[in-house]
Amino acid sequence: MVWDVPSSTDRTLTRRIGTTLAAIVLVDLLVAGLLAALLVPWLAPLGTAAAALGVSLPPAVRWLAVLVPGVTVLAAAQLWYARRRLLASVDATPATEASHPDLLARVRRLATLADLCPPAVAIVDSDTPNSFTVGGLTGSTLVVTTGLLAELDGDLLDAVLAHELAHVANRDAAVLTLATFLPALVEDRTALVRPRTATGVATWLGCLVVGYPLAAAVVDAPLFSAAYAARYVALVFACLLLGGIVVGILAVPATVLAGRLARDREFAADRAGALLTGDPASLALALERLDGHDRPSTDARRSEALAHLCLLPQEFGSDTENEGFTLDVRTHPSTGRRIERLRSLTAELEG
């Protein structure tokens, strides 16, 4: 299946996506580097141990020894955690052959056309017609609301499902999860910042226990004295405070870049999904119908990470209210612009 036939507009969009991704990676690396610098007090024992073995480790090597594994673990943990959290936050339940045979058949058929392994499918009981795809370290889950299934059927439903499968093929969910990592930290929404489970608390306590003897290189006091304990607590507090300031400052450009990336990837998924079905007009009609749907009358809570992933920026229930840092950034292009591009694609295919 050929997903796309690039035009000059699409090549420009591809360059924009590449440039935005590069900028996000640069910001993330800068944050990781600055946070790793805060760990310098704990790196001294590495140099001492290496010297005892007759090996000389330059400071840069010791720094990288913490930075590289740390970034890798954080990225993997964020992907694993975000998928579980987002599905739980909207109370998504798996679709089965008994409950939704037609929906599963549509997803399988379109995935076969796209040469994709069919993703898992889940249903959210919500009147808001919407959809999104969550990706992680292994596999993806395509989520639709009961409101979407009530509002669309036939070619229009196929068009929306094809759009979501384009996100699966492009690994957009995983990319956007990593792109929104810094804003998520500042919003205090992850277990890394505020542990809300026994495992999270145990992880924090483990880090404090391991760090206690390692801080001896910079804490000038007997290891098990009250003075050492007090200075160790002060050192940890200072690192957390400075780290929070660094992340908070750099989360602003990261949030803006993530919004731009999300908007561009919606355009790309619109085109790829329309080419998959060969019917851009159906996706345009589906977007037009859904965009005009009445918003929920209640003040629905929302997840910023989920907002980047949805077909349309309509809210539906989340288990967490916005806390701390917030920055209002558009996560989707206007529906009018998306429809205009799809109609241009229709003319291109017919011409």
Side-chain angles (χ1 to χ4, degrees):
M1 165 69 194
V2 178
W3 277 97
D4 208 347
V5 181
S7 66
S8 60
T9 301
D10 300 309
R11 285 191 290 269
T12 300
L13 182 61
T14 300
R15 285 195 296 269
R16 276 173 53 91
I17 291 175
T19 302
T20 305
L21 273 174
I24 290 174
V25 169
L26 181 61
V27 172
D28 287 347
L29 288 177
L30 181 58
V31 170
L34 292 173
L35 294 182
L38 295 175
L39 298 178
V40 168
W42 284 271
L43 298 180
L46 293 177
T48 302
L53 297 174
V55 178
S56 178
L57 289 179
V61 174
R62 281 177 276 166
W63 185 75
L64 288 173
V66 173
L67 175 62
V68 174
V71 171
T72 302
V73 170
L74 283 177
Q78 174 68 358
L79 287 175
W80 174 80
Y81 177 74
R83 181 178 182 180
R84 293 184 59 189
R85 181 190 175 282
L86 289 175
L87 292 176
S89 72
V90 294
D91 196 22
T93 57
T96 65
E97 290 291 348
S99 62
H100 297 86
D102 178 67
L103 175 63
L104 293 178
R106 288 174 184 274
V107 172
R108 283 195 299 267
R109 172 172 53 79
L110 291 168
T112 299
L113 287 175
D115 196 23
L116 289 174
C117 178
V121 180
I123 307 297
V124 173
D125 185 11
S126 171
D127 291 336
T128 303
N130 219 333
S131 62
F132 65 93
T133 302
V134 180
L137 295 173
T138 57
S140 301
T141 302
L142 193 162
V143 182
V144 298
T145 66
T146 52
L148 180 79
L149 297 179
E151 187 74 21
L152 302 180
D153 58 11
D155 292 342
L156 300 190
L157 180 57
D158 278 354
V160 170
L161 297 176
H163 170 98
E164 296 301 338
L165 288 175
H167 281 308
V168 173
N170 294 333
R171 300 188 180 276
D172 286 340
V175 170
L176 288 171
T177 294
L178 293 176
T180 56
F181 182 50
L182 288 182
L185 281 179
V186 178
E187 286 175 9
D188 202 16
R189 289 175 177 270
T190 69
L192 297 172
V193 174
R194 185 195 300 175
R196 295 184 174 122
T197 64
T199 301
V201 173
T203 300
W204 269 107
L205 290 176
C207 291
L208 291 174
V209 170
V210 171
Y212 188 86
L214 296 180
V218 293
V219 176
D220 185 18
L223 183 63
F224 296 105
S225 66
Y228 183 95
R231 292 174 187 177
Y232 174 68
V233 171
L235 180 63
V236 170
F237 178 78
C239 288
L240 290 176
L241 178 62
L242 291 174
I245 293 173
V246 167
V247 173
I249 292 173
L250 292 178
V252 174
T255 301
V256 174
L257 290 168
R260 171 175 165 169
L261 180 65
R263 294 193 298 272
D264 287 344
R265 293 183 89 88
E266 283 303 314
F267 281 136
D270 282 348
R271 180 178 176 89
L275 287 173
L276 176 61
T277 61
D279 187 10
S282 288
L283 181 55
L285 182 56
L287 290 174
E288 186 174 22
R289 180 181 297 182
L290 297 180
D291 190 56
H293 192 275
D294 291 337
R295 300 294 181 89
S297 58
T298 58
D299 184 17
R301 293 173 292 175
R302 64 182 299 186
S303 162
E304 291 302 323
L306 183 60
H308 285 77
L309 303 177
C310 288
L311 175 72
L312 289 168
Q314 296 175 345
E315 301 175 4
F316 54 93
S318 172
D319 64 350
T320 307
E321 295 185 8
N322 285 342
E323 302 171 5
F325 169 86
T326 56
L327 183 62
D328 189 15
V329 174
R330 278 196 308 120
T331 58
H332 290 66
S334 69
T335 304
R337 287 190 64 197
R338 294 171 70 179
I339 292 173
E340 181 182 348
R341 281 179 174 244
L342 288 166
R343 287 173 177 166
S344 296
L345 178 59
T346 299
E348 179 184 330
L349 294 179
E350 292 177 349

